[in-house]
């Protein structure tokens, strides 16, 4: 003995209403009968909804329907999240992560997959496995809600599923994976996830770095619940299906600059709200905040004190300029938000700490420094902070590349040299640094004068 699902009941009820209308039309075309008793079909139509909508079904379901649901359940096929056929071209065009599917992509918008949807033919996303070392041992499938895989658990609410080519600990790589979810959050009318499922090359990950977690908590207005499938059986064999899921696997690829700026504006605003920071409380309108974000180890300044002295000297020459020197690794998330909120010029070696630039006000300036050898050998990745400056409304003032450094034993241009240059440290050029600082300070001062008449933007954050 079994009951129809509520959705199936509704479908059957609609079908009965259509049949009723057809019977009514037919009765109007049939001569009236001398018999006052209702036709059998009408009697059936009056009784059928009562049977259909009974809360406690005691009758047997249609054997044909039961057989169809059983066949649909048996037909659910799980495929590896990581399709090894495309392992060597994972970042080119179509992806090996959930390789049987295609993204929804409108011009200038984020690329995503949503389940259930018209594209999925109403099917939900199901996942099986929790391997943290090989994505080929984690699986996905699609199923209709009325015919979920055997032993499957259906979890309620919205689930964000992320696949990242890098990791969620580095603040730049982690942020790149989160940006598309924030864009979809805005596009969807500010929908908030109940949980996150994180993958790195199809391998399950169960944590974010503290900076990224704090940013996402501020952006989405609450704790971040990262799914580890801990409640499943020991082998992770039982499938988990999601009532509603959104999948991202291309980071911010395909998004227009305007859409990216909208995303960074929202994250900046929400981070300041979370940390109780307002721009109006960080100094006078004409003050210029110059912040030196330092590193230790690779890509740090060889003589930090001399570099500070040069920029401090130029800052003293400008009324209202104040120099702040900090190491991001020594600051909490909210301390970084507060520092960036009072910064107009960010000076820093190339590195993940530069990701904080989007927390400055729009039109703020960035000055970047590189060790020897990067321009020729580092590839396009060396320009990521040019990109984030553009996407978040900042002005990248160029980069200084140290011509001096450790020698490479291989021929000039040999890619093996990058293993030496990658961990190189940065020297200084007093004449160049001083002139560069003067030019940027003058530009910022001029902008501040022009913007003096404008009032502070007190508009609440989007999705508040």
């Amino acid at each position: 003995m079994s009951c129809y699902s509520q959705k199936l009941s509704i479908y059957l009820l609609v079908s009965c209403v259509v049949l009723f209308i057809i019977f009514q039309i037919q009765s109007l075309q049939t001569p009236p009968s001398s018999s006052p008793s209702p036709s059998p079909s009408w009697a059936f139509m009056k009784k059928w909804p009562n049977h259909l909508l009974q809360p406690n079904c005691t009758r047997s379901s249609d054997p044909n329907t039961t057989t169809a649901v059983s066949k649909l359940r048996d037909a659910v096929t799980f495929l590896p999240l990581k399709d090894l056929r495309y392992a060597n071209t994972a970042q080119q065009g179509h992806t090996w992560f959930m390789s049987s599917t295609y993204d929804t992509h409108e011009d200038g918008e984020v690329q995503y997959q949503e389940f259930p949807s018209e594209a999925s033919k109403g099917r939900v996303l199901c996942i099986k496995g929790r391997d943290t070392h090989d994505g080929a041992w984690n699986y996905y499938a699609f199923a209709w809600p009325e015919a979920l895989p055997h032993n499957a658990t259906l979890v309620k609410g919205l689930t964000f599923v992320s696949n990242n080519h890098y990791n969620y600990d580095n603040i730049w790589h982690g942020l790149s994976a989160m940006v598309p979810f924030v864009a979809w959050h805005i596009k969807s009318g500010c929908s908030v996830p109940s949980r996150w499922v994180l993958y790195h090359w199809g391998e399950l990950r169960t944590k974010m770095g503290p900076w990224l977690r704090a940013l996402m908590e501020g952006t989405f207005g609450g704790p971040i619940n990262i799914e580890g499938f801990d409640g499943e059986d020991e082998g992770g064999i039982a499938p988990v299906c999601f009532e509603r899921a959104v999948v991202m696997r291309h980071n911010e690829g395909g998004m227009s600059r305007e859409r990216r700026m909208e995303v960074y504006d929202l994250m900046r605003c929400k981070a300041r709200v979370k940390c109780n920071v307002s721009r109006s409380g960080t100094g006078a309108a004409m003050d210029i905040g110059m912040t030196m974000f330092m590193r230790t180890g690779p890509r740090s300044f060889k003589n930090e004190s001399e570099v500070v002295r040069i920029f401090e000297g130029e800052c003293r020459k400008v009324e209202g300029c104040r120099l702040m020197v900090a190491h991001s690794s020594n600051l909490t998330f909210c301390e970084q938000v507060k520092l960036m909120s009072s910064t107009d010029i960010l000076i820093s070696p190339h590195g993940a700490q530069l990701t904080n630039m989007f927390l400055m006000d729009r039109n703020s300036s960035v000055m970047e420094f590189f060790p020897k050898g990067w321009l020729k050998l580092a590839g396009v990745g060396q320009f990521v902070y040019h990109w984030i400056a553009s996407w978040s409304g900042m002005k990248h003032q160029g980069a200084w590349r140290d011509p001096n450094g450790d020698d490479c034993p291989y021929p000039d241009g040999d890619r093996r040299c990058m293993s030496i240059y990658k961990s190189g440290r940065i020297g200084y050029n007093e004449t160049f640094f001083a002139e560069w600082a003067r030019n940027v300070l003058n530009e910022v001062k001029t902008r501040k004068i022009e913007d003096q008449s404008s009032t502070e933007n007190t508009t609440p954050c989007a999705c508040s």
Side-chain angles (χ1 to χ4, degrees):
M1 308 296 287
S2 61
C3 291
Y4 291 109
S5 70
Q6 185 177 1
K7 184 179 290 187
L8 185 60
S9 300
I10 293 173
Y11 290 159
L12 292 173
L13 179 59
V14 171
S15 300
C16 292
V17 171
V18 172
L19 289 172
F20 170 72
I21 294 172
I22 294 173
F23 287 141
Q24 286 294 92
I25 294 173
Q26 185 176 15
S27 67
L28 291 175
Q29 297 175 344
T30 304
S33 170
S34 59
S35 172
S37 60
S39 67
S41 61
W42 169 241
F44 170 77
M45 291 297 293
K46 288 182 66 178
K47 294 178 181 179
W48 175 252
N50 293 331
H51 289 290
L52 188 65
L53 299 177
Q54 284 178 353
N56 296 313
C57 259
T58 56
R59 59 183 177 78
S60 299
S61 60
D62 187 339
N64 293 329
T65 301
T66 303
T67 301
V69 171
S70 178
K71 287 182 177 180
L72 287 173
R73 195 186 307 276
D74 293 337
V76 174
T77 302
F78 281 90
L79 301 172
L81 277 175
K82 181 178 179 178
D83 189 337
L84 296 177
R85 294 176 300 171
Y86 304 105
N88 294 328
T89 57
Q91 293 176 284
Q92 300 174 17
H94 192 55
T95 174
W96 51 249
F97 183 83
M98 293 176 57
S99 63
S100 69
T101 62
Y102 290 90
D103 296 304
T104 297
H105 186 205
E106 302 167 16
D107 188 38
E109 298 288 348
V110 65
Q111 301 177 64
Y112 69 95
Q113 298 177 67
E114 185 172 358
F115 304 92
S117 63
E118 184 177 345
S120 74
K121 297 180 173 60
R123 293 174 296 174
V124 299
L125 172 66
C126 301
I127 288 177
K128 182 169 66 172
R130 54 184 181 189
D131 198 286
T132 59
H133 300 290
D134 187 351
W137 289 97
N138 295 322
Y139 304 91
Y140 72 101
F142 309 115
W144 279 279
E146 298 83 4
L148 297 179
H150 295 287
N151 301 320
T153 300
L154 180 67
V155 294
K156 300 294 185 179
L158 172 63
T159 302
F160 280 172
V161 180
S162 170
N163 182 63
N164 192 354
H165 293 293
Y166 302 102
N167 61 63
Y168 301 93
D169 295 317
N170 179 284
I171 65 176
W172 160 248
H173 295 313
L175 180 62
S176 297
M178 298 298 105
V179 163
F181 289 103
V182 181
W184 187 89
H185 167 66
I186 297 171
K187 176 182 170 63
S188 68
C190 307
S191 299
V192 175
S194 301
R195 69 194 59 78
W196 296 70
V197 181
L198 305 179
Y199 290 103
H200 165 69
W201 291 79
E203 303 160 5
L204 186 67
R205 295 291 181 263
T206 56
K207 65 183 182 69
M208 297 177 180
W211 183 95
L212 187 63
R213 177 182 281 272
L215 179 64
M216 290 300 100
E217 287 174 348
T219 300
F220 292 101
I224 298 297
N225 175 27
I226 300 177
E227 181 64 69
F229 303 114
D230 297 326
E232 305 311 311
D233 60 302
E234 185 175 349
I237 302 301
V240 175
C241 301
F242 305 102
E243 180 182 42
R244 188 183 181 198
V246 172
V247 179
M248 302 288 181
R249 53 187 185 171
H250 288 292
N251 290 356
E252 69 287 316
M255 292 172 61
S256 66
R257 181 171 182 263
E258 291 71 21
R259 179 64 69 226
R260 296 176 207 242
M261 289 181 73
E262 184 180 31
V263 168
Y264 282 107
D265 284 346
L266 173 65
M267 292 192 295
R268 178 191 307 115
C269 187
K270 289 294 189 75
R272 290 180 178 182
V273 170
K274 173 182 173 64
C275 299
N276 196 26
V277 173
S278 73
R279 187 66 170 96
S280 59
T282 59
M286 290 301 296
D287 284 355
I288 298 176
M290 176 182 277
T291 296
M292 301 187 71
F293 240 171
M294 298 304 196
R295 292 175 61 92
T296 56
R299 301 194 302 282
S300 62
F301 289 112
K302 296 175 184 175
N303 195 333
E304 183 177 300
S305 60
E306 278 298 300
V307 177
V308 171
R309 179 188 63 78
I310 296 167
F311 284 96
E312 187 175 34
E314 295 304 319
C315 184
R316 280 203 208 99
K317 299 174 184 177
V318 178
E319 183 179 357
C321 180
R322 62 189 186 284
L323 180 71
M324 298 162 283
V325 181
H327 288 76
S328 61
S329 57
N330 295 335
L331 303 177
T332 65
F333 172 77
C334 281
E335 287 171 340
Q336 293 178 65
V337 172
K338 184 176 181 180
L339 179 59
M340 290 297 102
S341 297
S342 62
T343 297
D344 299 292
I345 304 171
L346 179 59
I347 301 164
S348 184
H350 177 85
Q353 74 285 347
L354 273 168
T355 307
N356 283 281
M357 73 170 74
F358 79 88
L359 297 168
M360 300 189 291
D361 285 346
R362 275 202 193 188
N363 297 316
S364 296
S365 294
V366 180
M367 303 170 73
E368 190 175 5
F369 301 79
F370 285 89
K372 174 186 175 180
W374 275 62
L375 182 60
K376 183 180 291 186
L377 296 173
V380 296
Q382 65 186 295
F383 300 110
V384 294
Y385 300 110
H386 284 258
W387 303 339
I388 190 175
S390 173
W391 299 339
S392 60
M394 307 302 158
K395 184 168 184 179
H396 197 287
Q397 297 283 2
W400 184 76
R401 299 173 182 275
D402 194 344
N404 303 310
D406 295 332
D407 293 327
C408 176
Y410 306 111
D412 185 46
D414 191 309
R415 294 203 61 83
R416 288 175 292 180
C417 292
M418 193 58 203
S419 62
I420 298 171
Y421 298 149
K422 184 176 182 179
S423 300
R425 301 182 69 198
I426 305 168
Y428 69 95
N429 181 320
E430 182 167 0
T431 302
F432 183 89
F433 285 10
E435 183 179 359
W436 190 16
R438 282 195 298 273
N439 292 337
V440 174
L441 280 164
N442 288 335
E443 183 180 316
V444 171
K445 182 178 180 180
T446 300
R447 176 179 61 80
K448 288 247 178 184
I449 293 173
E450 293 173 351
D451 295 346
Q452 194 171 9
S453 59
S454 64
T455 57
E456 182 190 7
N457 183 7
T458 56
T459 304
C461 304
C463 289
S464 295

